[in-house]
Amino acid sequence: MHPDVQDEPDLVAAYTPPRQEWLRLNMVTSADGAAWLKGLSGGLSSKADKRIFGVLRGLADVVVAGAATVRTEGYGPARPRESWLAMRAGRTPAPPIAVITRRLDLDLGSPLFTEAEPYARTIVITTESAPKDRREEAARNARVIIAGDDRVDMATAVRELRERGLSGILCEGGPRINAQLAAAGLVDELCLTISPQLVGGDAARILNGVASPSPMVLAQVLEEDGFLFCRYVREVGDEPSA
């Protein structure tokens, strides 16, 4: 639909980042702005949304999510897909999952930690104040990054990931993590699926935190079955993310 009208667009070409260091958010929302339905994002999704979700993961060096999202959505490790072979040439078959957690209140015996392949070992980004015994337990099956004292400092977290060669960062939420990244000026792109339904209720918006105006430019719109798939990029002239 925008910027060009075409049928069956090449999704990989449409979503390939313009540069190596790129941080994008990927979220789904109802038409009235709800970030979930009955506590889960899946109720707002569609087949096309899942296809784009897969492409974005395939293009990413690392997938970032907050602890609440990991718990609620039942995260496991990303599994290699046949469709990723070409887009991940020269990289690991699947990206690692990086979990942002202030207190390490995670099930460290879950498949996310015990079933991840060695090349995509799960990453835990936490704080100095997280319990030492929990950090030691996490280190048995995950790579642990300390990024802050009492709270995870997002700029430090992003820098630590990129120093490990994980430059293309895909953040899947939740809204609090999104808001912190936006407030730190780290968001290069928002991939937003708009679901054609009204939800109401008390669901959060896709950013849930302090006010942090971030001018964006609408770069692309795709449509299928009434769902809109929008790409918003940092306004031209802004400084690139840290």
Side-chain angles (χ1 to χ4, degrees):
M1 295 177 62
H2 174 78
D4 301 306
V5 177
Q6 58 179 294
D7 292 327
E8 302 300 328
D10 181 338
L11 293 182
V12 175
Y15 284 96
T16 296
R19 62 176 185 265
Q20 189 173 10
E21 288 197 354
W22 196 252
L23 191 154
R24 63 180 15 149
L25 309 181
N26 182 36
M27 295 294 291
V28 60
T29 180
S30 66
D32 62 324
W36 57 67
L37 177 63
K38 297 180 180 178
L40 298 171
S41 62
L44 298 172
S45 189
S46 68
K47 290 182 179 179
D49 180 56
K50 290 179 171 64
R51 290 202 305 275
I52 292 172
F53 175 90
V55 169
L56 294 180
R57 280 196 164 194
L59 290 169
D61 293 325
V62 62
V63 176
V64 172
T69 296
V70 166
R71 288 192 299 267
T72 303
E73 303 283 352
Y75 267 54
R79 307 293 189 187
R81 301 186 184 189
E82 179 99 17
S83 60
W84 290 355
L85 288 175
M87 71 178 85
R88 298 196 64 80
R91 296 185 292 167
T92 58
I97 305 293
V99 187
I100 295 178
T101 169
R102 179 183 175 187
R103 297 182 299 273
L104 269 170
D105 46 351
L106 297 163
D107 180 0
L108 298 174
S110 71
L112 177 61
F113 296 95
T114 62
E115 296 181 10
E117 297 291 344
Y119 60 73
R121 201 175 183 209
T122 296
I123 300 167
V124 170
I125 303 174
T126 190
T127 62
E128 288 282 1
S129 62
K132 184 179 179 182
D133 61 333
R134 296 290 290 169
R135 280 190 278 157
E136 290 174 349
E137 184 180 352
R140 295 190 190 115
N141 291 312
R143 290 183 283 172
V144 177
I145 294 174
I146 305 299
D149 296 324
D150 295 321
R151 295 180 178 274
V152 173
D153 180 270
M154 292 300 172
T156 300
V158 168
R159 184 178 66 250
E160 291 284 345
L161 289 173
R162 288 179 171 160
E163 286 178 356
R164 289 161 172 79
L166 304 173
S167 298
I169 300 171
L170 170 65
C171 180
E172 296 177 349
R176 291 187 182 278
I177 299 297
N178 295 342
Q180 291 171 43
L181 288 167
L186 296 165
V187 177
D188 296 305
E189 178 180 328
L190 167 64
C191 296
L192 182 65
T193 297
I194 302 174
S195 176
Q197 58 181 304
L198 301 176
V199 171
D202 58 358
R205 297 186 299 172
I206 62 167
L207 266 66
N208 184 11
V210 299
S212 51
S214 305
M216 308 289 279
V217 173
L218 179 63
Q220 177 177 283
V221 183
L222 308 179
E223 184 274 337
E224 183 174 291
D225 297 332
F227 285 77
L228 297 178
F229 306 95
C230 305
R231 283 183 58 239
Y232 298 91
V233 298
R234 184 190 290 265
E235 192 168 71
V236 175
D238 281 3
E239 291 299 318
S241 64

